Structures are given as C-alpha cells and as structure tokens.
Amino acid sequence: MRLLTHNMLSCNIKGVTNGFPLKIEATKVIEKQVDLNVDFLKNMFLKVEWKALVEASRSMGYAELPEEADSSLLGSEEFLKKFHHALLELHLEEGALICPETGRRFSVTKGIPNMLLHEDEV
Amino acid sequence: MWYLCVFFHRLLDFRKPEVESLAKLFGDDDGDGSLQWKLPQHHHPDSPFHLVNLPSEHVARSIARRSILVKGIYELWGEASNYEELEEAIKKYPDERKLPFLSSDTTFKINVDTFGKAISFQEQTDRIRKMSYIPFKGRVNLKNPEQIFWIMETDDYGSNNGLPPVIQRTVFFGREVGAPDRKLIPTYQLKTRSYLGPTAMDAEMAFLMANQGLVASGKLVYDPFVGTGSILIAATHFGAMTMGADIDIRVVRDGRGPNCNVWSNFKQYGLCSPISLLRADNNLPPWRPDLKEVFEAIICDPPYGVRAGGRKSGGRKLLKGIVKPYIVPDDKRLGHIPSTAPYSLAECLHDLLDLAAKMLVMGGRLVYFYPVLRDNTTERQYPEHPCLKLVAISEQILSLRYSRVLLTMVKVGKYTEEIALEAKARHLEFKENHLKWLEEGNLHSAVFSPATPNLDVDGDSKLGKDATPKYRGKYV
Ligand SMILES: C[S@@+](CC[C@H](N)C(=O)[O-])C[C@H]1O[C@@H](n2cnc3c(N)ncnc32)[C@H](O)[C@@H]1O
C-alpha cells in the first residue's frame, strides 16, 4: 500500500466520526522506483491531506517532507522529488492501519489493506 | 473536414461512441462530444462504411491509431458505383488535395480491400492497374510506404447472407490518414494472461471501455470491482495511474500464488503496477468522508448478471433485522471472515452512481456494464443521477434473452450536500428494505433468473418480435 492510498482511506465503521488519518503500524516497508509525473503530482497535491502524509511517511521511516506545504513549492524540483517518493515509492508491505477513534486494526498483508468490516461494525 | 471512417464489422453499437469519445479526447472542443455522421449512398446504418466530420487530419489520425473498432480513416478521393464513375470522381477531386501526396519525393502503395467477398490476387492487381490515370510520381514501397492508398469495394449482395444489406455496389478510393495498432489486442488477449478469473474482461472490450473513459497518461482511474484487473490493465496501457478494490480477498490479494495474481498480470506486460489494490466493499466505501473529485474515470463491470452476483458486508438475517449482530470475540477478530449478504442490482447501481457523482472530477467519466433483457415490449430505462449525464449506450448481445449494455456517463454537476444527504437516506432505505428489493425488484429477478433451457423460439411471442437483425450476436 502506498501513501497516496493511505491518504484517501479512513475507518468507515458505523458511528465513527474521526476515522482519519489511520495510524500506520509498519512491519515491513519496501521501496520501488516509479517514474515521476509532474502533472499527476500537481493534481494530487490539491487532494492530499498534507499533515497526514507527513505523519504517515514518518511512520514508514521517511522524514524528509516539510511540516507545512503550499502550492508555491510545486515549482521546486527537490520538493517534487520528495513528495513523489513519499506518495508513490514507499510501500507498506506488511503491517496494519489503526483507527484513531476506536483502535480497530485493519491489517495490511502482501501490500493489500483489508478494509472490510465485521458484521457488528456495519 | 469529412473523412471516410471504415469500421471492423464487430460490436456495431460500440463503433460510433468510441470514435466520438476519442474525438473528445484528442480534439480540443468543449462541445458535448457528438460528431456529424453521414452514410454513403444506399448504405445501411450497420455498414462498415461511414463518413464523419472531424476537426483536423491530426485528430483523425490520433483517433484511428488509438481506436479498437476503426479499421482506418481515409481522405476520400472518390466514391462511385463502378470503376468508370470512380475515375470521373477522382479526376474531379481538387488537384491541390491530391498532388502533395503523389509527388516524386514520396513513397506509396495501393491496397485493395473488399467487404463481403474475397477476390484473387490477380483481380486485385487488375484493380490497381485501372488506377493508372492517377499521376503517381512517387516510388512504390510495399514494406514501409509514406502514403497508403486504398481501393475499397462492397459488393451488390442481397440481404440474405447475414450481413447488413447494401443495395448497390460501391467503390471507394482514399488516402489513409490513420489506422490502429493491430498488435494491441493479440498482445493482451486473455489467452496470454497468467491470472484469470471466470469474469475477466475480454481484452478488446477492456480497451473499448478505457477509450470510453477517455483514459490518458497521468489520469487516475478506479475500478471498484477490480477482480483480476483486466480493465485496469487496458487503462494502464494508455498511461493511467490506477486503483482497484474488490470484496474478495482471495482474488485481489492471493490469486494463485506469488507469481500468478493481479500484480503479476501487470508485470507480465511490462506495465506499471496499480497505485493500490485493496479489499473493500463498494457498499461501504472506505474513503475519507471529505474526499471528492479525485478520479478521472471509474470503469468497471459490476457484480451482477448470471455469472457473478455481488456480495456485501453484513449477514442476510442481520440486515433483515432477524438477528442481532454477531459480536466477534476479540481473540477471533484477526482471522474472522465477515459474513456477507447478496448485493442487489438496484443497490449496487445506487452505490456506483453515488461513488461516481462524488469521486469523479468534473467532466470525468463513469463507464460500466448494465444487464438488460432483450424484450422489445418495454422501453429500456437506464440508471440516472443528477450529477451524471448519459452520453453513450452500446449493446452487446449475450444470448437470445440477455444483453449487456455499456453505459458511459459524464459528471456534469457538483456533488452537493443535498445530494449527499439524499444518497445517505437512500442507503438506509436499501438497508431496511434489503430483502424486499432482492425479491421484488423486477430488474433484479430478470437478471438473476437463469435463462430457460430449450427455448422454443416460435412459441415465445416476445422473442418472435425481436427486431434485431439476425447478423447481430455476441461479437457483432
Ligand atoms: C464481474 S466481476 C469483475 C471482474 C473484473 N472486471 C476482471 O476483469 O476480473 C465482479 C467483481 O466484483 C466483486 N464484488 C462483488 N461484490 C462486491 C462488493 N460489494 N464490493 C466490491 N467488490 C465486489 C467480485 O468479487 C468480482 O471480483
């Protein structure tokens, strides 16, 4: 699971109001190189919750993202590279996503987050 | 300018919508995407030969190269009912449109194509010789010519050979502007795919769906019923970034082992992996509530139809209110397999349209299959949503009784607070009336009741009225 995905997911258990961002428990993190697409990054920058991305990348062992970011940074190649790396090149292979409100664990195995709810959660 | 657009004689309903979608993708117009079409004289709408008005040769070429159902797009130099008239027509065609392509510094070849009959090599050569009145100054190059000219003939066959009727023989002569990549479908055909499921989307159809979705480089495309990933494979080939979800963890995560799963299907063709695959239920999507307008296209084959009914979270009795939820003991939670209930057609569509209305960018497209009965007595109704506009309807006949229709919708309205509330109310209503929907929903029972074996066609008045020409079938 890449951090772009993490940035889009939340705990959707019935009644939960603060299910985002999910806390990452990383057991195995891998890196895979991906071609950088500037237009895609600029587009995604508008959609991403920055704070959640910064925190998520830290829990994956990457601490290079600035605390705050606004669109003026998109002109900087260095910033784009870091954003790209955090968003698309870090993978949570094994671990879990934990709901900040209820502590519910969503497991991630073989890179696939299991977001399916139990029958008492729907 | 008007061009001759020649189609393969396949998937007839899909042909014009595909060209219109690609015109939208490559043209820079803000129009509604529909094009002007004309038929050659005496031709039936199902004919492979059409005339289409396109903004430029560049757009025409881009469409032809990317298309699945276009055989070629041509600048038409002459159209006639015999070779004598053709000569007259070509001679009348303005020199300034012809001479640049005939000059001594070009290379060329002439191809002959006949629709509805085969002709011998000798007959082809004879037809090419007849064109000597055209002042070709260039050199012939059969392997890699700069210009390809085409002589195309349809015969004056009757309407009984299973092909659409052409009343009169037509001969066309044109300069090829563009033609598709013929290796595309063979490269991706399912036979070559390592991980397959029973409902894997046929490669030709997956590419058509991607074209309807205006897939292009760097766009984010989502399939909420990803299965073995066939649709996203086509989207990735065209440069999209993709995401997919499926409720079935065996399909989406495990496949048939470490080298035979959804990921390996992408690797096999040297394609980028999806951004993510996840296990999720489209009835309870796991997206953060404030997330909107992220996907440029949502393309999918939802889980209905005779082969693969959908499932959703929560047991049948639970949703009906007969039993209280089973409280999963903490020590069993990790490996617990949540029970699921059948996912009705109506509810599945509601969820899909709501997802699209919310998650598509403005102008983004929802492309999906919808099952229909081939019953001509009732007018067909298609799902509607205030944010989405239906722009293309293409039917693929599956059997005597069933068809599936590929629907293309464009997001034209913002997803408002009101619409969100309405959707939520609807969601609860579905939850309450789940079994009622399931058992009484007309469409649902139509789709899920298995086709009657040994159909007596004559005895079935509805089928007897079927106005679909008999050459129409699964592939045509
Ligand atoms: C018709 S198949 C799609 C197959 C896919 N196009 C492919 O090429 O393999 C429908 C898929 O939807 C999944 N499905 C069924 N109910 C679902 C739900 N509620 N949410 C998400 N996926 C679901 C099934 O597991 C199945 O893989």
Side-chain angles (χ1 to χ4, degrees), chain B residues 211-250:
Chain B
N211 280 348
Q212 285 305 110
L214 310 185
V215 171
S217 177
K219 286 188 175 178
L220 189 59
V221 176
Y222 181 53
D223 180 350
F225 309 107
V226 69
T228 57
S230 318
I231 295 171
L232 296 186
I233 284 173
T236 307
H237 174 86
F238 292 137
M241 312 286 237
T242 62
M243 291 193 170
D246 202 286
I247 201 169
D248 190 338
I249 195 138
R250 292 162 307 171

Side-chain angles (χ1 to χ4, degrees), chain B residues 123-196:
Chain B
E123 287 172 300
Q124 293 190 25
T125 321
D126 289 346
R127 281 166 172 72
I128 293 174
R129 287 232 174 85
K130 276 191 200 148
M131 312 310 290
S132 58
Y133 54 83
I134 299 177
F136 292 107
K137 297 269 175 353
R139 267 173 305 118
V140 172
N141 178 339
L142 298 180
K143 270 227 169 100
N144 196 14
E146 286 162 350
Q147 304 299 336
I148 305 176
F149 297 95
W150 289 81
I151 303 167
M152 288 171 278
E153 249 181 61
T154 63
D155 208 352
D156 49 352
Y157 50 75
S159 56
N160 286 334
N161 60 358
L163 295 166
V166 176
I167 292 159
Q168 214 183 344
R169 184 184 196 198
T170 326
V171 196
F172 301 97
F173 183 81
R175 174 179 66 86
E176 181 179 300
V177 166
D181 170 7
R182 292 196 174 226
K183 290 195 208 89
L184 184 71
I185 304 301
T187 304
Y188 285 97
Q189 62 183 320
L190 291 181
K191 276 198 274 198
T192 66
R193 187 106 16 112
S194 67
Y195 178 45
L196 282 175

Side-chain angles (χ1 to χ4, degrees), chain B residues 441-459:
Chain B
N442 283 337
L443 253 176
H444 182 270
S445 52
V447 173
F448 278 79
S449 63
T452 324
N454 304 324
L455 260 187
D456 174 4
V457 179
D458 294 330

Side-chain angles (χ1 to χ4, degrees), chain A residues 1-14 16-17 19-20 22 32 34-35 37 39-41 43-44 47-49 52 84 87-88 91 93 104-105 107-122, chain B residues 217-220 239 241 243 247 249 252-254 263 272-281 284-296 313-315 318-319 325-328 333-334 336-340 359 361 431:
Chain A
M1 184 205 65
R2 307 187 215 204
L3 294 189
L4 172 57
T5 314
H6 169 264
N7 206 273
M8 294 167 68
L9 294 176
S10 76
C11 170
N12 57 344
I13 291 178
K14 193 176 160 188
V16 168
T17 49
F20 179 85
L22 297 161
K32 286 186 207 161
V34 183
D35 290 342
N37 181 329
D39 291 335
F40 182 75
L41 288 177
N43 224 340
M44 284 305 129
K47 307 291 172 189
V48 157
E49 281 288 331
H84 171 75
L87 199 68
L88 298 171
H91 294 249
E93 230 357 61
R104 157 75 143 99
R105 292 167 60 89
S107 68
V108 178
T109 48
K110 299 184 201 164
I112 312 270
N114 183 351
M115 301 308 293
L116 200 67
L117 299 180
H118 297 309
E119 49 269 62
D120 52 354
E121 297 168 336
V122 301
Chain B
S217 177
K219 286 188 175 178
L220 189 59
M241 312 286 237
M243 291 193 170
I247 201 169
I249 195 138
V252 79
R253 184 189 64 194
D254 305 335
W263 303 113
C272 292
S273 302
I275 300 266
S276 65
L277 294 173
L278 39 119
R279 183 199 200 187
D281 178 355
L284 297 159
W287 309 116
R288 74 174 136 90
D290 59 334
L291 190 66
K292 267 194 221 165
E293 306 198 355
V294 276
F295 301 127
E296 248 126 333
S313 308
L318 167 68
L319 292 172
Y326 166 64
I327 307 296
V328 188
R333 277 198 177 257
L334 205 56
H336 178 68
I337 301 170
S339 53
T340 54
M359 300 292 268
V361 300
K431 243 176 128 170

Side-chain angles (χ1 to χ4, degrees), chain B residues 11 41 128 201 205 249 265 280 367 421:
Chain B
L11 298 168
Q41 227 189 348
I128 293 174
M201 185 57 67
M205 193 56 86
I249 195 138
N265 278 350
V367 179
L421 284 173

